[in-house]
């Protein structure tokens, strides 16, 4: 436990008197069924639930994400009524989908032990199998994954009401506030990663998190889905060519490109991938991600962040997986330099020269993973995972310079510090940026009153 994180936590809880009393959330309309399944499989809804009957149920094994017909997750286990029930789990957006999709008459659903849904009906509807066995039901709510369904708003880009008390606050108090908020943030991230470790094992969790980080801002979820559907253990058994075929095939990018639109070099590359993909395609046909909206967000991304390039980066990571993962597998093996150097040195025969499958080759070699992405991986994966296992790493984390070029950080700084003369002092280190982001998310993004009802400025007096 990081001690300063407790101070920020109680600061936050007393500001809202009870976090549970915040206005109830509605589902983010952009979350698709695929997103919901991916969030479930990553354990983001949690593992303990109350059923529609008001009883407790806990998930012991999240099973396998099924890519054939039948229930969504197979080989699962739940603890219910003092017993371990083994079977399948089905997740539907609406409780009525069970009957609408004919699952109740389909014997392939006979082993379903848990029916999850995100919308219930006004009348109580039971879930029954073809044999008329009643299936346990759980309603999933947005509160269960509050951080993931935070409304996609951005606060106004102008100094907020708190910029005045912050200007009057001593530098050491501001520094302590940012450090506390940064510890709180790191700890929350660490707990999430450790939850994935518990569900899927450490190596798969690392792979999933690194893939997620490659999604940059707009494509994190599709990258997580890709890593969930193409699990590490299976990928490491494939040849490099087969892995590449699976990554570009399942991501949908391979089939979206017209041969005749590409450069000669790209045609050679595509031919090599297709040579492998056509043999595997039938087995993965149901899993192809559509290459354009809504799964992949391509519009507005910089060429270097194009998801095709990032899929190439994931392939390069898998090629050197032992070296990439070794520093994260055991806290005692942690070596920041080795981790950073390995990622920065990754190369790929094709992607070191290309931004997308349609681009002309670049004259200069392009980094497969750049410095700011590595910094994100340190901030969001390595240190959250490891600092929970050895709190002494906090001091090492504090030394990391702030190199993130992040619009959200700039907005948070403007909101909180306004024209504060020493604002730059509080953004030199990565942990300070992370602290700022935490405050911005906890207060600015929760505020609907243009600052007037935000409790942060008043609470600051107590902090000082
Ligand atoms: S919403 Fe609150 S924390 Fe954000 S700028 Fe306004 S007063 Fe400050």
């Amino acid at each position: 436990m990081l001690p300063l994180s407790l101070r920020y936590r109680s600061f936050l809880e007393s500001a809202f008197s009870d976090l549970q009393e915040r206005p109830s959330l509605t589902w983010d309309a952009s979350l698709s069924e695929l997103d919901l399944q991916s969030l479930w499989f990553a354990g983001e809804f949690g593992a303990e639930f109350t059923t529609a009957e008001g009883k407790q149920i806990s998930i012991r094994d999240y099973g396998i994400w099924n890519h054939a017909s039948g229930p969504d997750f197979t080989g699962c286990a739940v603890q219910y009524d003092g017993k371990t029930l083994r079977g399948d789990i089905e997740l539907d957006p609406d409780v009525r989908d069970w009957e609408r999709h004919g699952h109740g008459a389909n014997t392939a659903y006979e082993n379903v032990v848990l029916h999850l849904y995100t919308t219930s009906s006004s009348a109580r509807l039971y879930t029954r199998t073809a044999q008329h066995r009643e299936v346990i039901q759980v309603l999933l709510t947005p509160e269960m994954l509050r951080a993931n369904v935070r409304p996609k708003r951005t606060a106004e880009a102008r100094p907020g009401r708190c910029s005045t008390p912050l200007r009057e606050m001593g530098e050491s108090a501001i520094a302590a506030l940012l450090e506390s908020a940064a510890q709180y943030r790191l700890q929350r991230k660490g707990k999430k990663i450790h939850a994935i470790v518990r569900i899927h094992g450490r190596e798969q969790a690392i792979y999933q998190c690194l893939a997620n980080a490659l999604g940059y801002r707009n494509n994190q979820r599709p990258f997580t889905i890709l890593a969930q559907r193409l699990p590490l253990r299976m990928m490491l058994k494939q040849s490099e060519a087969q892995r590449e075929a699976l990554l570009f095939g399942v991501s949908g990018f391979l089939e979206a490109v017209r041969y005749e639109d590409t450069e000669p070099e790209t045609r050679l590359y595509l031919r090599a991938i297709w040579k492998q993909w056509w043999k595997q395609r039938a087995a993965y046909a149901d899993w192809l991600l559509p290459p354009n909206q809504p799964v992949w967000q391509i519009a507005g991304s910089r060429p270097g962040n194009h998801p095709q390039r990032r899929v190439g980066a994931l392939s390069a990571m898998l090629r050197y997986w032992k070296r990439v993962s070794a520093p994260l597998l055991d806290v005692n093996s942690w070596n920041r330099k080795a981790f950073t150097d390995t990622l920065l040195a990754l190369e790929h025969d094709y992607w070191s020269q290309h931004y997308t499958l349609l681009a002309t080759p670049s004259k200069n070699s392009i980094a497969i993973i750049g410095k700011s992405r590595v910094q994100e991986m340190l901030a969001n994966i390595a240190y959250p995972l490891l600092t929970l296992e050895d709190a002494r790493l906090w001091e090492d984390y504090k030394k990391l310079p702030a190199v993130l070029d992040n619009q959200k950080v700039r907005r948070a700084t403007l909101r909180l510090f306004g024209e504060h003369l020493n604002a730059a002092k509080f953004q030199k280190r990565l942990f300070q940026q992370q602290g700022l982001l935490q405050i911005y998310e906890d207060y600015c993004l929760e505020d609907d009153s243009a600052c007037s009802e935000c409790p942060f400025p008043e609470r600051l007096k107590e902090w000082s």
Side-chain angles (χ1 to χ4, degrees), residues 440-451:
Y440 177 75
E441 287 171 12
D442 285 335
Y443 291 92
C444 303
L445 294 189
E446 295 288 336
D447 176 61
D448 273 331
S449 65
C451 292

Side-chain angles (χ1 to χ4, degrees), residues 30-263:
S30 67
L31 279 178
S32 65
E33 187 172 350
L34 191 62
D35 292 327
L36 291 167
Q37 290 178 352
S38 169
L39 289 164
W40 167 263
F41 199 46
E44 305 241 14
F45 284 97
E48 310 282 330
F49 302 94
T50 304
T51 70
E53 298 283 308
K55 294 188 176 176
Q56 294 308 298
I57 185 167
S58 39
I59 313 301
R60 292 281 180 262
D61 188 338
Y62 287 74
I64 292 166
W65 196 349
N66 181 21
H67 67 93
S69 56
D72 295 320
F73 304 96
T74 56
C76 313
V78 300
Q79 189 74 23
Y80 180 73
D81 233 359
K83 290 184 219 128
T84 301
L85 307 177
R86 295 186 189 279
D88 307 329
I89 295 179
E90 175 69 8
L91 192 162
D92 290 317
D94 192 304
V95 65
R96 290 166 292 190
D97 292 339
W98 180 269
E99 289 303 329
R100 282 176 188 158
H101 300 160
H103 301 336
N106 186 343
T107 51
Y109 289 76
E110 197 53 58
N111 286 334
V112 171
V113 289
L114 177 60
H115 183 207
L116 306 164
Y117 45 86
T118 52
T119 307
S120 55
S121 135
S122 51
R124 174 85 166 89
L125 288 182
Y126 294 89
T127 300
R128 291 191 185 279
T129 66
Q131 301 277 328
H132 292 286
R133 179 176 56 80
E134 188 179 336
V135 178
I136 303 162
Q137 297 173 314
V138 166
L139 171 69
L140 300 176
T141 66
E143 281 74 14
M144 291 173 182
L145 68 162
R146 176 172 261 279
N148 285 304
V149 293
R150 221 182 258 276
K152 278 190 184 151
R153 62 165 83 116
T154 41
E156 282 177 70
R158 58 171 179 78
R161 196 164 64 86
C162 59
S163 59
T164 307
L166 273 169
R167 209 169 24 241
E168 286 156 10
M169 219 165 134
E171 279 184 17
S172 60
I174 296 177
L177 172 66
L178 291 181
E179 187 169 350
S180 290
Q183 277 200 2
Y184 176 78
R185 186 175 182 84
L186 189 93
Q187 191 152 295
R188 276 173 48 125
K189 285 182 180 171
K191 282 182 178 170
K192 268 190 176 182
I193 300 174
H194 279 271
I196 305 174
V197 170
R198 278 195 296 281
I199 296 170
H200 298 295
R202 189 167 183 115
E203 229 176 325
Q204 171 67 21
I206 292 168
Y207 163 64
Q208 235 167 267
C209 293
L210 290 173
N212 177 287
L214 289 175
Y216 195 48
R217 207 174 33 231
N218 294 327
N219 288 301
Q220 290 178 342
R221 181 56 47 199
F223 264 96
T224 301
I225 293 170
L226 205 55
Q228 287 171 321
R229 292 187 155 186
L230 300 174
L232 182 72
R233 203 176 300 165
M234 183 274 281
M235 290 298 264
L236 292 181
K237 286 182 193 152
Q238 313 288 317
S239 69
E240 199 181 329
Q242 287 168 329
R243 278 200 298 266
E244 201 125 319
L246 284 170
L247 287 169
F248 281 93
V250 173
S251 64
F253 289 134
L254 192 54
E255 306 202 7
V257 176
R258 290 190 337 161
Y259 220 55
E260 54 272 32
D261 295 339
T262 59
E263 297 284 319

Side-chain angles (χ1 to χ4, degrees), residues 354-371:
H354 292 83
Y355 284 109
T356 70
L357 288 168
L358 293 177
T360 49
S362 158
K363 288 191 187 107
N364 303 318
S365 175
I366 320 158
I368 290 292
I369 298 186
K371 278 186 187 165

